[in-house]
């Protein structure tokens, strides 16, 4: 199965609009505007106890990953090269296209990782073996 993404260069930080005044900041996201897909699922990771998360790829799903509290790192891998991002800015999200392996780690004690997904949960969309993931790129 070949996929139209499988390209680390398509994964990038997206800046979200923020309105700031004396009361604080309001940051907003809109499907198909700042978010390059319609949002079908939202979930968040918290109380991670400095463990690792991720360790999978998606065949078709696209995601935006946001640090809404604290910080963490995410390593993205397209099977040929990898890049590590540190997420801590609440006004930014990391776009991850399909067929990109991801590992999340180095969570700060207060971290909350918000994920916006382009589809509902489907176990059949997951690739949980790195060796199987690499076979898709050949």
């Amino acid at each position: 199965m070949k996929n139209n993404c499988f390209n680390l260069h398509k994964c990038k930080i997206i800046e979200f609009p923020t309105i700031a005044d004396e009361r604080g900041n309001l940051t907003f996201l809109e499907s198909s505007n700042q978010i390059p897909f319609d949002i079908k699922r939202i979930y968040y990771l918290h109380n991670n106890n400095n463990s690792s998360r991720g360790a999978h790829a998606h065949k078709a799903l696209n995601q935006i990953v946001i640090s809404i509290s604290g910080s963490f790192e995410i390593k993205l891998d397209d099977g040929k090269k990898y890049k590590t991002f540190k997420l801590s800015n609440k006004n930014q999200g990391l776009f991850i296209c399909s067929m990109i392996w991801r590992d999340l780690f180095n969570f700060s004690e207060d971290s909350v990782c918000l994920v916006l997904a382009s589809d509902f949960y489907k176990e059949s969309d997951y690739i949980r073996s790195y060796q199987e993931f690499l076979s898709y790129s050949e």
Side-chain angles (χ1 to χ4, degrees), residues 1 17 19 36 56 68 80 83 93 100 113 129 133:
M1 171 191 207
I19 301 168
H56 66 270
I68 57 173
K80 294 179 178 49
K83 185 171 183 179
I100 298 291
C113 170
S129 158
F133 167 73

Side-chain angles (χ1 to χ4, degrees), residues 95-112:
F95 173 68
I96 306 172
C97 62
S98 58
M99 294 307 296
I100 298 291
W101 189 265
R102 78 277 327 268
D103 289 297
L104 290 82
F105 58 97
N106 202 18
F107 291 92
S108 66
E109 189 173 310
D110 61 341
S111 68
V112 178

